[in-house]
Amino acid sequence: SRFLSSASKNLKYMGIVGLIQIVRIDPKYTLDYQNMVVDCLEDADDTLKIKTLELLFKMTNKMNVEPIVEKLLSYLKDAPVESTTRKDLVVKIDDLAEKFAPNKNWYIRTMNKLFEMGGDLVTQNLTNKFIQSIGEYEKQENGDTFRDNTIKIYVKVLKKNPNIPEALMQVIAWIMGEYGADSADNEKIKDIIDELCNQAYVGYENQNTISLIISALTKLHLAQDFPPNGNIDMVIRDFINSKHINVQERCIEYKLLKENRHSLENNGKKIYKNTPLNEEQFMMENLDLDLTFL
């Protein structure tokens, strides 16, 4: 306590290092110093800040995760773009939010803030993991309520934020495609389609982002049974000759599905249902990847 409250940066550093040793024995002994530790983040000394972030990460639990993550997000927002600690901080916040989230909505809102502030530091792996977590939440109790709340959150993001980071846009496109198509409100679906069409022209560099947007448009338009829509027609026309194969493929899928839907079972609406996300889910679905039935 005397080290942490000292005016000397060196003594504060000693206090932080001492608590890092103690937290390995039992985190409960460090909780009384939580506010003093958080105050060390305000110090101008970068070395002290880095050690403080390490300690906060180690002493977080379900009881204090909300104030600590809020503080870490605040630090991430104000940290210089060239700061070496930003990348490590993004990983730490993601880890804490996933481990100790008090509820689903808090987790989603926290991750949204992380994606907005983290920008290019949010990796594809982190994006995929977040999408997978949302998919698991949806399978739990109150799935319908969770889907509706999640769509509302991301429709607001689409309408209010003209500069959505690519990683967050990938999450939004996946969610709108998976859950938006289940809505019985055609006006809501049309509204989502218009917003996604606008996003297709923002200028995203990652081909996965455009691919996910076009996949979402396909699922949403399919759910409506392909009524006339000039915005989607323009997107498909403009991207069907993309130099990126994934983007081309999604456009061709949309076109073929639209042309041949009447010859498919249930107008093709079962085609996109329950699509596995990754290799682990392939295994869980017991799919015959060797195609032994042929």
Side-chain angles (χ1 to χ4, degrees):
S1 177
R2 290 176 64 187
F3 281 137
L4 290 173
S5 58
S6 171
S8 165
K9 289 182 176 61
N10 291 334
L11 291 181
K12 280 185 178 180
Y13 187 87
M14 288 295 292
I16 294 293
V17 170
L19 281 180
I20 288 174
Q21 301 299 323
I22 292 171
V23 81
R24 291 172 183 165
I25 301 167
D26 194 331
K28 71 180 182 183
Y29 296 118
T30 64
L31 297 181
D32 290 342
Y33 305 103
Q34 183 175 310
N35 291 334
M36 297 176 77
V37 171
V38 168
D39 287 342
C40 290
L41 277 180
E42 307 297 333
D43 200 284
D45 189 284
D46 284 338
T47 308
L48 180 59
K49 284 180 181 177
I50 291 169
K51 273 295 175 189
T52 303
L53 290 171
E54 182 185 340
L55 175 58
L56 283 171
F57 178 72
K58 291 178 182 295
M59 65 191 289
T60 304
N61 56 42
K62 283 187 177 292
M63 302 299 292
N64 62 13
V65 65
E66 292 183 67
I68 287 181
V69 166
E70 194 64 39
K71 197 69 181 177
L72 295 180
L73 284 169
S74 176
Y75 179 74
L76 178 65
K77 182 180 179 181
D78 297 332
V81 175
E82 67 277 5
S83 172
T84 55
T85 61
R86 286 178 63 86
K87 186 174 182 179
D88 185 48
L89 195 52
V90 167
V91 175
K92 281 181 164 55
I93 292 171
D94 168 62
D95 198 18
L96 294 178
E98 186 181 10
K99 279 184 183 176
F100 303 117
N103 57 66
K104 299 169 189 175
N105 285 337
W106 179 87
Y107 173 70
I108 291 173
R109 293 181 190 281
T110 298
M111 291 301 291
N112 288 347
K113 290 179 185 176
L114 178 62
F115 276 57
E116 288 174 7
M117 295 176 192
D120 295 339
L121 296 176
V122 177
T123 62
Q124 189 67 55
N125 185 48
L126 196 154
T127 303
N128 294 343
K129 192 169 69 166
F130 181 40
I131 288 174
Q132 188 174 345
S133 296
I134 291 175
E136 289 169 359
Y137 280 160
E138 188 268 338
K139 291 176 185 175
Q140 297 169 10
E141 294 181 23
N142 301 320
D144 291 341
T145 304
F146 176 76
R147 283 194 296 271
D148 290 342
N149 290 339
T150 306
I151 289 171
K152 285 177 185 174
I153 289 171
Y154 288 112
V155 166
K156 285 181 181 177
V157 174
L158 279 173
K159 290 184 174 181
K160 289 184 178 180
N161 191 347
N163 300 310
I164 300 173
E166 287 212 36
L168 183 56
M169 191 60 232
Q170 290 180 19
V171 173
I172 293 172
W174 183 86
I175 286 169
M176 294 307 173
E178 289 294 308
Y179 304 151
D182 292 332
S183 174
D185 187 344
N186 275 330
E187 280 302 314
K188 181 191 282 186
I189 293 178
K190 185 180 181 305
D191 197 26
I192 294 171
I193 286 174
D194 291 342
E195 293 293 341
L196 289 176
C197 286
N198 291 336
Q199 288 297 323
Y201 293 99
V202 165
Y204 294 114
E205 296 179 4
N206 190 333
Q207 60 174 321
N208 288 334
T209 309
I210 302 298
S211 296
L212 282 165
I213 289 174
I214 294 172
S215 286
L217 289 171
T218 303
K219 294 176 186 179
L220 292 163
H221 210 198
L222 173 63
Q224 290 188 310
D225 201 22
F226 294 104
N229 189 306
N231 288 337
I232 295 183
D233 291 343
M234 184 169 64
V235 169
I236 300 302
R237 184 178 65 246
D238 290 346
F239 286 97
I240 200 165
N241 294 317
S242 168
K243 64 181 180 179
H244 299 297
I245 299 301
N246 280 349
V247 176
Q248 268 193 47
E249 185 180 351
R250 298 293 171 264
C251 292
I252 293 168
E253 283 175 1
Y254 168 87
K255 200 171 179 182
L256 289 174
L257 188 57
K258 183 178 180 180
E259 291 171 357
N260 299 288
R261 66 187 184 281
H262 296 305
S263 62
L264 299 169
E265 182 186 356
N266 198 24
N267 279 359
K269 290 183 181 179
K270 290 186 177 179
I271 285 179
Y272 280 106
K273 286 292 182 184
N274 302 319
T275 308
L277 296 175
N278 52 42
E279 189 173 343
E280 183 181 341
Q281 283 182 291
F282 271 120
M283 302 304 291
M284 289 173 63
E285 295 284 344
N286 294 320
L287 297 178
D288 184 1
L289 300 182
D290 294 325
L291 308 182
T292 57
F293 55 86
L294 291 177

